[in-house]
Amino acid sequence: MDPYSIFSDIVAGRAPASRVFEDDDVVAFMDIRPFTPGHVLVIPKQPARNLAELDPEIGAKLFQVGQRLAAALRDSEVAADGVNFFLADGIAAGQEVFHVHLHVIPRTSGDGFGLRGRPTSPHRADLDYLASSIRGTLERS
Ligand code: AMP
């Protein structure tokens, strides 16, 4: 099944989901292959395959709901000691489902989850060079 439509089907109530939150703009539900117990996904109701297609106001809403969920993951029986947010935008970033989603991942010490690999500590000149390129692109957008 097309994964893009799976999340659309969840929004429409045609596919099963263990929902934790819903309003006019977003739905949050349990990830069926959680990185850690209590892993929640927050998605926009309006489909957007990637960040470029996502209304920035809805993007802000995803983060707001993620903040509330983070508090709930600490205070509920999930009993998280910490929380990671993760969002994969594009295949190279590990995106598998092409309907934007914010992962809200509860953390406890020693749970084994984590980003791996930070191969270099570049020189300041290299950081400045890329900063200048990104700044220039932002100024033109
Ligand atoms: P990503 O690699 O960021 O695209 O992550 C997609 C996530 O969606 C994975 O963590 C999957 O386990 C999760 N997922 C895929 N299908 C479903 C579904 N039907 N219900 C809940 N989570 C799903």
Side-chain angles (χ1 to χ4, degrees):
M1 190 184 291
D2 174 10
Y4 178 65
S5 64
I6 256 284
F7 283 6
S8 296
D9 282 351
I10 286 174
V11 170
R14 290 188 297 265
S18 300
R19 293 179 184 233
V20 297
F21 179 83
E22 176 169 8
D23 68 11
D24 290 343
D25 301 316
V26 307
V27 185
F29 52 91
M30 306 306 289
D31 193 303
I32 49 167
R33 286 188 298 136
F35 285 124
T36 61
H39 176 177
V40 177
L41 300 174
V42 192
I43 70 170
K45 284 190 168 174
Q46 194 65 36
R49 278 171 296 191
N50 49 46
L51 287 178
E53 291 185 2
L54 182 68
D55 178 340
E57 285 188 21
I58 302 295
K61 190 78 183 279
L62 291 183
F63 193 91
Q64 282 170 17
V65 171
Q67 271 187 297
R68 287 186 63 195
L69 285 168
L73 292 176
R74 288 173 182 272
D75 297 341
S76 68
E77 288 178 55
V78 174
D81 295 322
V83 172
N84 279 123
F85 284 179
F86 177 71
L87 192 153
D89 185 46
I91 291 170
Q95 185 176 5
E96 293 176 349
V97 176
F98 292 88
H99 181 132
V100 170
H101 48 281
L102 177 66
H103 295 260
V104 183
I105 304 161
R107 301 298 311 278
T108 48
S109 329
D111 62 19
F113 177 78
L115 295 176
R116 302 276 179 266
R118 212 185 281 222
T120 60
S121 296
H123 294 298
R124 177 63 59 191
D126 295 325
L127 296 175
D128 285 344
Y129 179 83
L130 289 181
S132 164
S133 173
I134 297 165
R135 208 164 45 238
T137 303
L138 281 174
E139 283 163 9
R140 288 190 298 278
S141 68

